[in-house]
Amino acid sequence: MFRGKGIAGVIFRTSFTNVVVLVLTTLTSILTARMLGVVGKGELAAITFWPILFAGLMSFGLPTSLIYNLKKDPEHASDYIKICTSIIVPLGAIVGVILWFFLPIMLQQYSQSAIHIAQLFTLVMVPLQIIINILLSLSKAIDQFHIYNGMKLNSSLITLIGLVLLWLLGGLSLFSSTLVYLCTSIIVLIICIRHLMTHMTIDFKKFSKTRVRPLLSYGIIIYGQEILGTVYNQADKIIIISLLSPREFGLYTVVFS
């Protein structure tokens, strides 16, 4: 079943990947708390939280709409991909700039070094996370679930290995830990693009504007649902980051994991 090409095999492999990712994420959370201390864990969790939150909020339902429209109209895949990317990636970059000024307000109880690292990380990672979300949707849209599962698994595994290696070498700090998360995302992004390009060709010429409407129409329909899902999953962290100290947030993230 693990190697099967049918729907049962896909479901089994995806479920197995989710379990492994869950285990790796839990180990990473526990080990970072032990390696950085509870305060350092709280600061790291606060730094890495914002790109995930705002990449979800700024999607406008377009990654999911991409799946729907590629299934419905695969002949114009290049147009849909270019439209999706050209709309939300620049918006993500703008949001990253806005958050540069917003984060010091939200992270008043954190050290100045943690706030500065969060500003730099968020500025780069919001558009990067949006691109990753688009690629995840694209891999599902063209039925390349091994790429989808590989992105999730490699991200968790490379992050854990990178943090442990830094710890063993005595170079683990809040900045270097954040850098591991950033480098991991870039590595996974490059690997994913390389694999996707073997399954499809994207025409980088000007896209057809007639594809904008169906992509946005379906995206808007499901955007409200996606916002509610994102807020439901992340609302507790928004409140806790704003009200509690890094130590308390670090304890919360470990227990939650």
Side-chain angles (χ1 to χ4, degrees):
M1 181 178 288
F2 196 83
R3 295 180 177 274
K5 296 182 178 180
I7 186 65
V10 172
I11 293 173
F12 180 80
R13 287 190 294 272
T14 301
S15 300
F16 178 79
T17 300
N18 290 336
V19 172
V20 175
V21 168
L22 179 62
V23 172
L24 292 174
T25 303
T26 304
L27 284 174
T28 301
S29 181
I30 295 172
L31 289 175
T32 49
R34 185 173 183 83
M35 293 184 291
L36 292 173
V38 179
V39 174
K41 170 59 182 174
E43 291 181 329
L44 180 63
I47 290 170
T48 57
F49 166 71
W50 301 103
I52 297 173
L53 172 65
F54 281 93
L57 293 178
M58 297 305 299
S59 69
F60 295 104
L62 294 186
T64 305
S65 181
L66 183 65
I67 299 174
Y68 172 80
N69 282 282
L70 286 186
K71 290 290 187 180
K72 184 179 179 181
D73 186 18
E75 293 181 0
H76 298 95
S78 291
D79 284 341
Y80 290 120
I81 294 168
K82 287 183 289 185
I83 294 168
C84 183
T85 304
S86 63
I87 292 176
I88 58 177
V89 172
L91 285 175
I94 294 172
V95 169
V97 174
I98 294 173
L99 286 173
W100 180 281
F101 302 98
F102 175 74
L103 286 177
I105 300 174
M106 292 297 295
L107 301 175
Q108 292 181 9
Q109 301 189 60
Y110 290 73
S111 64
Q112 285 300 313
S113 60
I115 293 174
H116 187 56
I117 293 171
Q119 289 174 308
L120 293 171
F121 182 74
T122 303
L123 183 67
V124 178
M125 270 302 298
V126 171
L128 192 62
Q129 186 63 51
I130 287 175
I131 296 174
I132 290 173
N133 291 346
I134 292 173
L135 293 179
L136 285 169
S137 295
L138 181 58
S139 62
K140 289 192 288 185
I142 61 175
D143 296 328
Q144 298 301 319
F145 287 93
H146 66 284
I147 298 177
Y148 172 80
N149 292 329
M151 285 184 70
K152 295 171 64 178
L153 183 60
N154 288 333
S155 179
S156 300
L157 185 59
I158 294 173
T159 299
L160 178 59
I161 292 173
L163 291 171
V164 172
L165 285 177
L166 277 176
W167 179 60
L168 293 174
L169 294 172
L172 190 67
S173 64
L174 184 61
F175 177 76
S176 62
S177 301
T178 307
L179 197 60
V180 168
Y181 280 88
L182 176 61
C183 292
T184 297
S185 297
I186 295 173
I187 292 171
V188 170
L189 182 66
I190 293 172
I191 293 173
C192 179
I193 292 175
R194 179 175 174 273
H195 284 292
L196 283 173
M197 295 304 289
T198 63
H199 295 279
M200 63 184 305
T201 302
I202 300 176
D203 182 5
F204 289 98
K205 296 179 182 179
K206 189 176 181 180
F207 57 79
S208 173
K209 294 181 180 180
T210 59
R211 311 298 164 199
V212 175
R213 183 172 181 177
L215 189 69
L216 289 177
S217 297
Y218 189 83
I220 291 172
I221 291 174
I222 62 172
Y223 182 45
Q225 180 181 345
E226 292 191 350
I227 286 181
L228 290 175
T230 300
V231 172
Y232 175 79
N233 290 325
Q234 307 295 346
D236 59 331
K237 296 182 181 67
I238 298 174
I239 296 171
I240 292 171
I241 288 175
S242 304
L243 300 179
L244 300 184
S245 67
R247 173 181 171 79
E248 292 167 325
F249 186 51
L251 288 170
Y252 174 82
T253 55
V254 174
V255 173
F256 185 81
S257 297

